[in-house]
Amino acid sequence: MVTDSVLRRAAERLTNSETPLLDARVLLSYVVKCDSRTLFRELTEEEEARFDALVGRRAAGEPVAYITGEKEFMGRRFLLNRDCLIPRPDTETVVEDLIETNKLPEPRILDLCCGSGCIGLSLAFFIKGSRVSLCDISEGALDMARKNAGLHGLEKRTEIFRLDVISEPFPKGFDIIVSNPPYIPTAVADGLEVTKTEPRLALDGGEDGLDFYRAITPKAFAALNSGGVLAFETGYDQGRAVSAILRNSGFINVTVKKDYGGNDRLVRGEKP
Ligand code: GLN
Protein backbone atom coordinates (compact mmCIF):
# COMPACT_ATOMS: atom_id res chain seq x y z
CA MET A 1 0.00 0.00 0.00
CA VAL A 2 1.27 3.48 -0.80
CA THR A 3 0.84 4.66 2.78
CA ASP A 4 2.83 1.86 4.43
CA SER A 5 6.22 3.56 4.35
CA VAL A 6 4.70 6.88 5.45
CA LEU A 7 3.15 5.11 8.46
CA ARG A 8 6.30 3.23 9.32
CA ARG A 9 8.39 6.40 9.31
CA ALA A 10 5.83 8.17 11.50
CA ALA A 11 5.63 5.25 13.95
CA GLU A 12 9.41 5.37 14.36
CA ARG A 13 9.09 8.94 15.67
CA LEU A 14 6.45 7.94 18.26
CA THR A 15 8.88 6.27 20.64
CA ASN A 16 6.90 7.43 23.73
CA SER A 17 3.69 5.75 22.61
CA GLU A 18 2.69 2.18 23.48
CA THR A 19 0.82 1.98 20.17
CA PRO A 20 2.95 3.89 17.64
CA LEU A 21 1.58 2.30 14.48
CA LEU A 22 -2.05 2.62 15.55
CA ASP A 23 -1.50 6.27 16.54
CA ALA A 24 0.09 6.99 13.17
CA ARG A 25 -2.77 5.25 11.37
CA VAL A 26 -5.45 7.23 13.24
CA LEU A 27 -3.66 10.53 12.57
CA LEU A 28 -3.18 9.71 8.89
CA SER A 29 -6.85 8.73 8.53
CA TYR A 30 -7.74 12.07 10.12
CA VAL A 31 -5.61 13.96 7.58
CA VAL A 32 -6.88 12.10 4.50
CA LYS A 33 -10.48 12.00 5.86
CA CYS A 34 -10.90 8.29 5.19
CA ASP A 35 -9.54 5.04 6.56
CA SER A 36 -5.85 5.18 5.63
CA ARG A 37 -6.03 1.48 4.68
CA THR A 38 -8.28 2.34 1.75
CA LEU A 39 -6.06 5.12 0.43
CA PHE A 40 -4.53 3.91 -2.81
CA ARG A 41 -2.72 7.05 -3.88
CA GLU A 42 0.29 9.10 -2.85
CA LEU A 43 -0.22 11.82 -0.25
CA THR A 44 -0.24 15.36 -1.59
CA GLU A 45 2.53 17.63 -0.32
CA GLU A 46 0.01 19.50 1.80
CA GLU A 47 -1.27 16.27 3.36
CA GLU A 48 2.22 15.13 4.08
CA ALA A 49 3.05 18.41 5.81
CA ARG A 50 -0.12 18.30 7.92
CA PHE A 51 0.48 14.67 8.88
CA ASP A 52 4.06 15.49 9.78
CA ALA A 53 2.89 18.30 12.09
CA LEU A 54 0.34 16.05 13.84
CA VAL A 55 2.91 13.28 14.35
CA GLY A 56 5.16 15.94 15.90
CA ARG A 57 2.42 16.87 18.39
CA ARG A 58 1.88 13.21 19.27
CA ALA A 59 5.64 12.71 19.66
CA ALA A 60 5.60 15.65 22.13
CA GLY A 61 3.07 13.78 24.28
CA GLU A 62 -0.34 15.08 23.16
CA PRO A 63 -2.97 12.30 23.16
CA VAL A 64 -4.29 11.27 19.74
CA ALA A 65 -7.90 11.90 20.80
CA TYR A 66 -7.18 15.57 21.59
CA ILE A 67 -5.36 16.02 18.29
CA THR A 68 -8.27 14.62 16.27
CA GLY A 69 -10.90 16.02 18.67
CA GLU A 70 -12.82 12.78 18.86
CA LYS A 71 -12.88 9.27 20.32
CA GLU A 72 -15.01 6.18 19.76
CA PHE A 73 -17.04 4.88 22.70
CA MET A 74 -19.70 2.13 22.62
CA GLY A 75 -19.14 2.02 18.86
CA ARG A 76 -20.15 5.67 18.47
CA ARG A 77 -18.23 8.87 17.80
CA PHE A 78 -17.79 11.46 20.57
CA LEU A 79 -16.33 14.92 20.08
CA LEU A 80 -13.81 16.09 22.66
CA ASN A 81 -11.92 19.09 23.89
CA ARG A 82 -9.26 19.42 26.57
CA ASP A 83 -11.89 19.97 29.25
CA CYS A 84 -13.09 16.38 28.79
CA LEU A 85 -11.45 13.19 30.00
CA ILE A 86 -10.84 10.94 27.00
CA PRO A 87 -13.47 8.14 27.04
CA ARG A 88 -11.95 4.79 28.08
CA PRO A 89 -12.96 1.30 26.94
CA ASP A 90 -13.08 0.31 30.67
CA THR A 91 -16.03 2.65 31.11
CA GLU A 92 -18.05 0.61 28.61
CA THR A 93 -18.35 -2.00 31.42
CA VAL A 94 -20.51 0.48 33.36
CA VAL A 95 -22.70 1.40 30.39
CA GLU A 96 -23.19 -2.21 29.27
CA ASP A 97 -24.22 -3.28 32.78
CA LEU A 98 -26.88 -0.57 32.99
CA ILE A 99 -28.26 -1.37 29.53
CA GLU A 100 -28.44 -5.08 30.36
CA THR A 101 -30.03 -4.71 33.80
CA ASN A 102 -32.53 -1.94 33.04
CA LYS A 103 -36.09 -3.24 32.98
CA LEU A 104 -37.96 0.07 32.77
CA PRO A 105 -39.29 1.20 29.38
CA GLU A 106 -38.86 4.89 30.19
CA PRO A 107 -36.22 5.32 32.90
CA ARG A 108 -35.11 8.77 34.05
CA ILE A 109 -31.33 8.80 34.17
CA LEU A 110 -28.85 11.24 35.73
CA ASP A 111 -25.17 11.26 34.64
CA LEU A 112 -23.01 13.19 37.13
CA CYS A 113 -19.55 14.49 36.11
CA CYS A 114 -20.55 13.72 32.51
CA GLY A 115 -17.50 15.17 30.70
CA SER A 116 -18.02 14.61 26.96
CA GLY A 117 -21.35 12.94 27.81
CA CYS A 118 -20.22 9.52 26.58
CA ILE A 119 -21.92 7.57 29.41
CA GLY A 120 -25.25 9.39 29.60
CA LEU A 121 -25.59 9.84 25.84
CA SER A 122 -24.79 6.17 25.18
CA LEU A 123 -27.51 5.21 27.67
CA ALA A 124 -29.91 7.61 25.95
CA PHE A 125 -29.03 6.08 22.60
CA PHE A 126 -29.34 2.43 23.61
CA ILE A 127 -32.32 2.76 26.00
CA LYS A 128 -34.71 4.31 23.54
CA GLY A 129 -37.45 5.45 25.95
CA SER A 130 -35.08 7.00 28.49
CA ARG A 131 -34.77 10.66 29.45
CA VAL A 132 -31.27 11.64 30.50
CA SER A 133 -29.93 14.59 32.51
CA LEU A 134 -26.21 15.22 32.15
CA CYS A 135 -24.24 17.51 34.46
CA ASP A 136 -20.70 18.62 35.00
CA ILE A 137 -18.95 21.46 36.81
CA SER A 138 -16.95 22.38 33.69
CA GLU A 139 -18.62 24.66 31.12
CA GLY A 140 -16.09 23.48 28.54
CA ALA A 141 -17.14 19.87 29.06
CA LEU A 142 -20.85 20.83 28.95
CA ASP A 143 -20.27 22.49 25.54
CA MET A 144 -18.96 19.16 24.25
CA ALA A 145 -21.79 17.17 25.84
CA ARG A 146 -24.27 19.48 24.05
CA LYS A 147 -22.46 19.04 20.72
CA ASN A 148 -22.46 15.27 21.21
CA ALA A 149 -26.18 15.22 22.05
CA GLY A 150 -26.74 17.02 18.73
CA LEU A 151 -24.38 14.72 16.84
CA HIS A 152 -26.38 11.67 17.95
CA GLY A 153 -29.80 13.33 17.53
CA LEU A 154 -30.58 13.09 21.24
CA GLU A 155 -31.46 16.72 22.08
CA LYS A 156 -35.14 15.93 22.67
CA ARG A 157 -34.50 13.29 25.34
CA THR A 158 -31.57 14.94 27.09
CA GLU A 159 -31.03 17.99 29.27
CA ILE A 160 -27.59 19.30 30.07
CA PHE A 161 -26.75 21.68 32.90
CA ARG A 162 -23.95 22.76 35.22
CA LEU A 163 -23.81 21.12 38.65
CA ASP A 164 -21.14 21.07 41.34
CA VAL A 165 -21.76 17.64 42.86
CA ILE A 166 -19.78 18.46 46.00
CA SER A 167 -21.59 21.63 47.10
CA GLU A 168 -24.99 21.65 45.36
CA PRO A 169 -28.18 19.63 45.94
CA PHE A 170 -29.33 17.18 43.22
CA PRO A 171 -32.62 17.26 41.34
CA LYS A 172 -34.90 14.34 42.31
CA GLY A 173 -36.97 11.55 40.74
CA PHE A 174 -34.40 9.36 38.96
CA ASP A 175 -34.40 5.62 38.27
CA ILE A 176 -30.69 5.43 37.46
CA ILE A 177 -27.87 7.67 38.66
CA VAL A 178 -24.49 6.99 37.10
CA SER A 179 -21.15 8.68 37.58
CA ASN A 180 -17.52 8.32 36.62
CA PRO A 181 -16.20 10.92 39.07
CA PRO A 182 -12.58 11.91 39.61
CA TYR A 183 -11.12 9.05 41.68
CA ILE A 184 -7.35 9.15 41.62
CA PRO A 185 -5.76 9.97 45.03
CA THR A 186 -4.09 13.40 44.89
CA ALA A 187 -0.57 12.12 45.56
CA VAL A 188 -0.93 9.43 42.88
CA ALA A 189 -2.32 11.97 40.40
CA ASP A 190 0.76 14.14 41.02
CA GLY A 191 3.01 11.43 39.60
CA LEU A 192 0.90 10.23 36.68
CA GLU A 193 1.50 10.96 33.01
CA VAL A 194 -2.28 11.24 32.45
CA THR A 195 -2.51 14.29 34.76
CA LYS A 196 -0.13 16.14 32.45
CA THR A 197 -2.33 15.68 29.40
CA GLU A 198 -5.92 15.35 30.68
CA PRO A 199 -7.90 17.68 32.98
CA ARG A 200 -6.83 17.33 36.61
CA LEU A 201 -10.35 18.39 37.58
CA ALA A 202 -11.64 15.13 36.07
CA LEU A 203 -9.03 12.91 37.74
CA ASP A 204 -8.13 14.12 41.25
CA GLY A 205 -10.48 12.53 43.78
CA GLY A 206 -8.91 14.06 46.90
CA GLU A 207 -6.51 12.63 49.46
CA ASP A 208 -7.75 9.00 49.33
CA GLY A 209 -9.50 9.34 45.94
CA LEU A 210 -12.93 8.83 47.50
CA ASP A 211 -14.13 12.44 48.05
CA PHE A 212 -16.67 12.32 45.22
CA TYR A 213 -18.13 8.94 46.23
CA ARG A 214 -18.66 10.24 49.78
CA ALA A 215 -20.30 13.46 48.53
CA ILE A 216 -22.45 11.93 45.79
CA THR A 217 -23.76 8.74 47.46
CA PRO A 218 -26.10 10.19 50.16
CA LYS A 219 -27.44 12.86 47.79
CA ALA A 220 -27.99 10.21 45.09
CA PHE A 221 -29.91 8.08 47.60
CA ALA A 222 -32.27 11.00 48.22
CA ALA A 223 -32.58 11.74 44.49
CA LEU A 224 -33.44 8.17 43.42
CA ASN A 225 -36.90 6.65 43.17
CA SER A 226 -37.51 3.54 45.26
CA GLY A 227 -35.92 0.58 43.42
CA GLY A 228 -33.55 2.97 41.63
CA VAL A 229 -29.91 2.16 40.92
CA LEU A 230 -26.71 4.06 41.68
CA ALA A 231 -23.78 2.96 39.51
CA PHE A 232 -20.23 4.27 39.89
CA GLU A 233 -17.12 3.71 37.88
CA THR A 234 -14.29 3.21 40.39
CA GLY A 235 -10.53 2.90 40.38
CA TYR A 236 -9.01 -0.58 39.98
CA ASP A 237 -8.69 -1.13 43.77
CA GLN A 238 -11.66 0.87 45.09
CA GLY A 239 -14.44 -1.75 44.86
CA ARG A 240 -14.55 -2.53 48.58
CA ALA A 241 -14.25 1.03 49.83
CA VAL A 242 -16.95 2.36 47.50
CA SER A 243 -19.26 -0.60 48.31
CA ALA A 244 -18.99 0.34 52.01
CA ILE A 245 -19.93 3.95 51.24
CA LEU A 246 -23.06 2.75 49.39
CA ARG A 247 -24.10 0.35 52.20
CA ASN A 248 -23.60 3.06 54.83
CA SER A 249 -25.98 5.33 52.91
CA GLY A 250 -28.74 2.66 52.81
CA PHE A 251 -28.17 1.02 49.43
CA ILE A 252 -28.87 -2.73 49.19
CA ASN A 253 -27.74 -5.48 46.78
CA VAL A 254 -24.40 -3.71 46.44
CA THR A 255 -22.12 -5.47 43.94
CA VAL A 256 -18.70 -4.92 42.37
CA LYS A 257 -18.02 -5.83 38.77
CA LYS A 258 -14.65 -6.10 37.06
CA ASP A 259 -13.75 -4.71 33.64
CA TYR A 260 -12.31 -6.78 30.79
CA GLY A 261 -8.85 -6.21 32.26
CA GLY A 262 -9.87 -7.96 35.51
CA ASN A 263 -9.88 -4.77 37.66
CA ASP A 264 -12.69 -3.46 39.88
CA ARG A 265 -14.55 -1.00 37.69
CA LEU A 266 -18.23 -0.83 38.61
CA VAL A 267 -19.93 -0.59 41.99
CA ARG A 268 -23.71 -0.56 41.91
CA GLY A 269 -26.43 -0.64 44.55
CA GLU A 270 -30.20 -0.30 44.76
CA LYS A 271 -32.40 1.96 46.83
CA PRO A 272 -34.94 -0.22 48.70
N1 GLN B 1 -9.67 5.91 34.27
C1 GLN B 1 -8.96 7.14 34.40
C2 GLN B 1 -7.47 6.87 34.48
O1 GLN B 1 -7.07 5.94 35.12
C3 GLN B 1 -9.41 7.92 35.63
C4 GLN B 1 -10.80 8.38 35.50
C5 GLN B 1 -11.34 9.05 36.70
O2 GLN B 1 -10.66 9.56 37.62
N2 GLN B 1 -12.62 9.06 36.74
O3 GLN B 1 -6.70 7.56 33.86
Side-chain angles (χ1 to χ4, degrees):
M1 219 168 336
V2 283
T3 54
D4 276 358
S5 63
V6 179
L7 284 170
R8 255 199 320 277
R9 260 183 285 129
E12 276 163 22
R13 288 174 61 194
L14 299 177
T15 44
N16 296 334
S17 170
E18 286 170 22
T19 53
L21 199 57
L22 175 65
D23 291 3
R25 199 186 293 287
V26 173
L27 292 175
L28 184 59
S29 298
Y30 176 70
V31 167
V32 297
K33 298 189 179 63
C34 70
D35 188 329
S36 65
R37 282 168 297 194
T38 62
L39 190 76
F40 297 104
R41 60 168 173 81
E42 302 290 336
L43 297 184
T44 65
E45 253 176 59
E46 197 249 325
E47 285 169 340
E48 219 162 317
R50 278 189 62 214
F51 180 56
D52 193 60
L54 299 188
V55 171
R57 282 166 63 183
R58 179 70 193 111
E62 196 171 343
V64 174
Y66 287 151
I67 297 174
T68 62
E70 62 181 58
K71 177 79 182 178
E72 192 189 297
F73 181 80
M74 293 296 290
R76 310 188 58 74
R77 187 168 156 245
F78 285 89
L79 303 176
L80 290 180
N81 61 19
R82 280 167 187 71
D83 295 315
C84 306
L85 193 75
I86 299 169
R88 308 284 201 271
D90 299 338
T91 303
E92 293 179 351
T93 303
V94 178
V95 176
E96 284 164 4
D97 177 86
L98 289 172
I99 295 170
E100 280 162 23
T101 55
N102 171 63
K103 293 188 187 73
L104 300 173
E106 295 179 350
R108 278 199 66 203
I109 301 174
L110 175 64
D111 176 1
L112 301 168
C113 311
C114 68
S116 64
C118 65
I119 296 178
L121 294 173
S122 295
L123 291 172
F125 182 82
F126 288 104
I127 305 177
K128 295 293 177 200
S130 61
R131 301 192 61 82
V132 182
S133 305
L134 300 103
C135 345
D136 203 284
I137 193 171
S138 156
E139 292 288 355
L142 292 172
D143 281 346
M144 279 297 123
R146 282 191 197 98
K147 284 207 173 72
N148 284 321
L151 182 67
H152 298 294
L154 294 166
E155 297 106 317
K156 288 214 175 74
R157 290 193 290 113
T158 54
E159 57 166 356
I160 297 174
F161 53 92
R162 186 176 181 278
L163 182 74
D164 176 346
V165 293
I166 300 285
S167 67
E168 289 181 288
F170 297 173
K172 291 199 163 51
F174 293 95
D175 302 299
I176 296 172
I177 297 180
V178 60
S179 182
N180 175 13
Y183 56 63
I184 301 181
T186 303
V188 178
D190 286 341
L192 285 182
E193 237 2 77
V194 55
T195 329
K196 296 192 189 109
T197 53
E198 296 187 55
R200 186 163 190 127
L201 196 61
L203 295 163
D204 187 342
E207 194 176 345
D208 64 357
L210 301 173
D211 281 3
F212 286 81
Y213 301 110
R214 279 190 289 262
I216 291 172
T217 304
K219 290 196 267 187
F221 190 84
L224 279 168
N225 296 330
S226 171
V229 172
L230 172 63
F232 277 127
E233 171 165 331
T234 69
Y236 71 97
D237 57 355
Q238 293 173 330
R240 275 179 62 151
V242 176
S243 298
I245 294 171
L246 264 69
R247 282 194 204 95
N248 289 340
S249 290
F251 284 94
I252 58 168
N253 299 333
V254 176
T255 51
V256 181
K257 201 164 161 177
K258 293 189 187 298
D259 60 23
Y260 294 110
N263 295 311
D264 291 355
R265 196 56 64 195
L266 163 69
V267 173
R268 54 171 289 152
E270 288 165 27
K271 177 168 172 172

